[in-house]
mmCIF file with all atom_site columns, all heavy atoms in Angstrom:
data_model
loop_
_atom_site.group_PDB
_atom_site.id
_atom_site.type_symbol
_atom_site.label_atom_id
_atom_site.label_alt_id
_atom_site.label_comp_id
_atom_site.label_asym_id
_atom_site.label_entity_id
_atom_site.label_seq_id
_atom_site.pdbx_PDB_ins_code
_atom_site.Cartn_x
_atom_site.Cartn_y
_atom_site.Cartn_z
_atom_site.occupancy
_atom_site.B_iso_or_equiv
_atom_site.pdbx_formal_charge
_atom_site.auth_seq_id
_atom_site.auth_comp_id
_atom_site.auth_asym_id
_atom_site.auth_atom_id
_atom_site.pdbx_PDB_model_num
ATOM 1  N N   . ILE A 1 18 ? -21.415 -12.433 -1.325 1.00 0.00 ? 293 ILE A N   1
ATOM 2  C CA  . ILE A 1 18 ? -21.421 -12.654 -2.772 1.00 0.00 ? 293 ILE A CA  1
ATOM 3  C C   . ILE A 1 18 ? -20.984 -14.084 -3.085 1.00 0.00 ? 293 ILE A C   1
ATOM 4  O O   . ILE A 1 18 ? -21.716 -14.834 -3.739 1.00 0.00 ? 293 ILE A O   1
ATOM 5  C CB  . ILE A 1 18 ? -20.509 -11.622 -3.488 1.00 0.00 ? 293 ILE A CB  1
ATOM 6  C CG1 . ILE A 1 18 ? -20.845 -10.178 -3.067 1.00 0.00 ? 293 ILE A CG1 1
ATOM 7  C CG2 . ILE A 1 18 ? -20.577 -11.812 -5.004 1.00 0.00 ? 293 ILE A CG2 1
ATOM 8  C CD1 . ILE A 1 18 ? -22.274 -9.741  -3.263 1.00 0.00 ? 293 ILE A CD1 1
ATOM 9  N N   . GLU A 1 19 ? -19.817 -14.467 -2.601 1.00 0.00 ? 294 GLU A N   1
ATOM 10 C CA  . GLU A 1 19 ? -19.320 -15.817 -2.892 1.00 0.00 ? 294 GLU A CA  1
ATOM 11 C C   . GLU A 1 19 ? -20.031 -16.880 -2.058 1.00 0.00 ? 294 GLU A C   1
ATOM 12 O O   . GLU A 1 19 ? -20.437 -17.912 -2.575 1.00 0.00 ? 294 GLU A O   1
ATOM 13 C CB  . GLU A 1 19 ? -17.810 -15.876 -2.666 1.00 0.00 ? 294 GLU A CB  1
ATOM 14 C CG  . GLU A 1 19 ? -17.045 -15.006 -3.642 1.00 0.00 ? 294 GLU A CG  1
ATOM 15 C CD  . GLU A 1 19 ? -15.563 -14.909 -3.320 1.00 0.00 ? 294 GLU A CD  1
ATOM 16 O OE1 . GLU A 1 19 ? -15.056 -15.733 -2.529 1.00 0.00 ? 294 GLU A OE1 1
ATOM 17 O OE2 . GLU A 1 19 ? -14.912 -14.015 -3.880 1.00 0.00 ? 294 GLU A OE2 1
ATOM 18 N N   . GLY A 1 20 ? -20.200 -16.620 -0.758 1.00 0.00 ? 295 GLY A N   1
ATOM 19 C CA  . GLY A 1 20 ? -20.790 -17.615 0.132  1.00 0.00 ? 295 GLY A CA  1
ATOM 20 C C   . GLY A 1 20 ? -22.278 -17.810 -0.033 1.00 0.00 ? 295 GLY A C   1
ATOM 21 O O   . GLY A 1 20 ? -22.769 -18.938 -0.142 1.00 0.00 ? 295 GLY A O   1
ATOM 22 N N   . CYS A 1 21 ? -23.018 -16.705 -0.049 1.00 0.00 ? 296 CYS A N   1
ATOM 23 C CA  . CYS A 1 21 ? -24.480 -16.787 -0.165 1.00 0.00 ? 296 CYS A CA  1
ATOM 24 C C   . CYS A 1 21 ? -24.954 -16.798 -1.610 1.00 0.00 ? 296 CYS A C   1
ATOM 25 O O   . CYS A 1 21 ? -26.116 -17.093 -1.871 1.00 0.00 ? 296 CYS A O   1
ATOM 26 C CB  . CYS A 1 21 ? -25.132 -15.625 0.577  1.00 0.00 ? 296 CYS A CB  1
ATOM 27 S SG  . CYS A 1 21 ? -24.897 -15.670 2.363  1.00 0.00 ? 296 CYS A SG  1
ATOM 28 N N   . GLY A 1 22 ? -24.076 -16.422 -2.521 1.00 0.00 ? 297 GLY A N   1
ATOM 29 C CA  . GLY A 1 22 ? -24.446 -16.423 -3.928 1.00 0.00 ? 297 GLY A CA  1
ATOM 30 C C   . GLY A 1 22 ? -25.279 -15.233 -4.369 1.00 0.00 ? 297 GLY A C   1
ATOM 31 O O   . GLY A 1 22 ? -25.891 -15.265 -5.430 1.00 0.00 ? 297 GLY A O   1
ATOM 32 N N   . PHE A 1 23 ? -25.310 -14.169 -3.562 1.00 0.00 ? 298 PHE A N   1
ATOM 33 C CA  . PHE A 1 23 ? -26.051 -12.978 -3.939 1.00 0.00 ? 298 PHE A CA  1
ATOM 34 C C   . PHE A 1 23 ? -25.273 -12.179 -4.977 1.00 0.00 ? 298 PHE A C   1
ATOM 35 O O   . PHE A 1 23 ? -24.044 -12.201 -4.994 1.00 0.00 ? 298 PHE A O   1
ATOM 36 C CB  . PHE A 1 23 ? -26.296 -12.061 -2.737 1.00 0.00 ? 298 PHE A CB  1
ATOM 37 C CG  . PHE A 1 23 ? -27.158 -12.645 -1.655 1.00 0.00 ? 298 PHE A CG  1
ATOM 38 C CD1 . PHE A 1 23 ? -26.780 -12.535 -0.330 1.00 0.00 ? 298 PHE A CD1 1
ATOM 39 C CD2 . PHE A 1 23 ? -28.341 -13.285 -1.953 1.00 0.00 ? 298 PHE A CD2 1
ATOM 40 C CE1 . PHE A 1 23 ? -27.567 -13.053 0.680  1.00 0.00 ? 298 PHE A CE1 1
ATOM 41 C CE2 . PHE A 1 23 ? -29.144 -13.807 -0.954 1.00 0.00 ? 298 PHE A CE2 1
ATOM 42 C CZ  . PHE A 1 23 ? -28.747 -13.695 0.373  1.00 0.00 ? 298 PHE A CZ  1
ATOM 43 N N   . THR A 1 24 ? -25.998 -11.460 -5.807 1.00 0.00 ? 299 THR A N   1
ATOM 44 C CA  . THR A 1 24 ? -25.350 -10.444 -6.626 1.00 0.00 ? 299 THR A CA  1
ATOM 45 C C   . THR A 1 24 ? -25.116 -9.240  -5.715 1.00 0.00 ? 299 THR A C   1
ATOM 46 O O   . THR A 1 24 ? -25.684 -9.156  -4.608 1.00 0.00 ? 299 THR A O   1
ATOM 47 C CB  . THR A 1 24 ? -26.234 -10.019 -7.809 1.00 0.00 ? 299 THR A CB  1
ATOM 48 O OG1 . THR A 1 24 ? -27.417 -9.377  -7.288 1.00 0.00 ? 299 THR A OG1 1
ATOM 49 C CG2 . THR A 1 24 ? -26.605 -11.214 -8.683 1.00 0.00 ? 299 THR A CG2 1
ATOM 50 N N   . VAL A 1 25 ? -24.326 -8.295  -6.185 1.00 0.00 ? 300 VAL A N   1
ATOM 51 C CA  . VAL A 1 25 ? -24.113 -7.073  -5.402 1.00 0.00 ? 300 VAL A CA  1
ATOM 52 C C   . VAL A 1 25 ? -25.443 -6.363  -5.199 1.00 0.00 ? 300 VAL A C   1
ATOM 53 O O   . VAL A 1 25 ? -25.737 -5.886  -4.099 1.00 0.00 ? 300 VAL A O   1
ATOM 54 C CB  . VAL A 1 25 ? -23.077 -6.153  -6.082 1.00 0.00 ? 300 VAL A CB  1
ATOM 55 C CG1 . VAL A 1 25 ? -22.957 -4.831  -5.348 1.00 0.00 ? 300 VAL A CG1 1
ATOM 56 C CG2 . VAL A 1 25 ? -21.718 -6.840  -6.158 1.00 0.00 ? 300 VAL A CG2 1
ATOM 57 N N   . THR A 1 26 ? -26.255 -6.324  -6.214 1.00 0.00 ? 301 THR A N   1
ATOM 58 C CA  . THR A 1 26 ? -27.565 -5.669  -6.117 1.00 0.00 ? 301 THR A CA  1
ATOM 59 C C   . THR A 1 26 ? -28.442 -6.355  -5.074 1.00 0.00 ? 301 THR A C   1
ATOM 60 O O   . THR A 1 26 ? -29.072 -5.689  -4.246 1.00 0.00 ? 301 THR A O   1
ATOM 61 C CB  . THR A 1 26 ? -28.268 -5.663  -7.486 1.00 0.00 ? 301 THR A CB  1
ATOM 62 O OG1 . THR A 1 26 ? -27.427 -4.969  -8.420 1.00 0.00 ? 301 THR A OG1 1
ATOM 63 C CG2 . THR A 1 26 ? -29.622 -4.994  -7.412 1.00 0.00 ? 301 THR A CG2 1
ATOM 64 N N   . GLU A 1 27 ? -28.491 -7.686  -5.104 1.00 0.00 ? 302 GLU A N   1
ATOM 65 C CA  . GLU A 1 27 ? -29.309 -8.424  -4.128 1.00 0.00 ? 302 GLU A CA  1
ATOM 66 C C   . GLU A 1 27 ? -28.806 -8.198  -2.703 1.00 0.00 ? 302 GLU A C   1
ATOM 67 O O   . GLU A 1 27 ? -29.609 -7.985  -1.783 1.00 0.00 ? 302 GLU A O   1
ATOM 68 C CB  . GLU A 1 27 ? -29.290 -9.918  -4.446 1.00 0.00 ? 302 GLU A CB  1
ATOM 69 C CG  . GLU A 1 27 ? -30.022 -10.289 -5.715 1.00 0.00 ? 302 GLU A CG  1
ATOM 70 C CD  . GLU A 1 27 ? -29.759 -11.713 -6.167 1.00 0.00 ? 302 GLU A CD  1
ATOM 71 O OE1 . GLU A 1 27 ? -28.702 -12.297 -5.812 1.00 0.00 ? 302 GLU A OE1 1
ATOM 72 O OE2 . GLU A 1 27 ? -30.618 -12.254 -6.896 1.00 0.00 ? 302 GLU A OE2 1
ATOM 73 N N   . ALA A 1 28 ? -27.497 -8.256  -2.510 1.00 0.00 ? 303 ALA A N   1
ATOM 74 C CA  . ALA A 1 28 ? -26.933 -8.051  -1.171 1.00 0.00 ? 303 ALA A CA  1
ATOM 75 C C   . ALA A 1 28 ? -27.216 -6.629  -0.690 1.00 0.00 ? 303 ALA A C   1
ATOM 76 O O   . ALA A 1 28 ? -27.563 -6.424  0.480  1.00 0.00 ? 303 ALA A O   1
ATOM 77 C CB  . ALA A 1 28 ? -25.435 -8.336  -1.178 1.00 0.00 ? 303 ALA A CB  1
ATOM 78 N N   . ALA A 1 29 ? -27.079 -5.657  -1.578 1.00 0.00 ? 304 ALA A N   1
ATOM 79 C CA  . ALA A 1 29 ? -27.373 -4.266  -1.212 1.00 0.00 ? 304 ALA A CA  1
ATOM 80 C C   . ALA A 1 29 ? -28.834 -4.112  -0.800 1.00 0.00 ? 304 ALA A C   1
ATOM 81 O O   . ALA A 1 29 ? -29.133 -3.421  0.173  1.00 0.00 ? 304 ALA A O   1
ATOM 82 C CB  . ALA A 1 29 ? -27.030 -3.337  -2.374 1.00 0.00 ? 304 ALA A CB  1
#
Side-chain angles (χ1 to χ4, degrees):
I293 308 304
E294 294 173 16
C296 294
F298 296 134
T299 65
V300 174
T301 301
E302 291 168 336

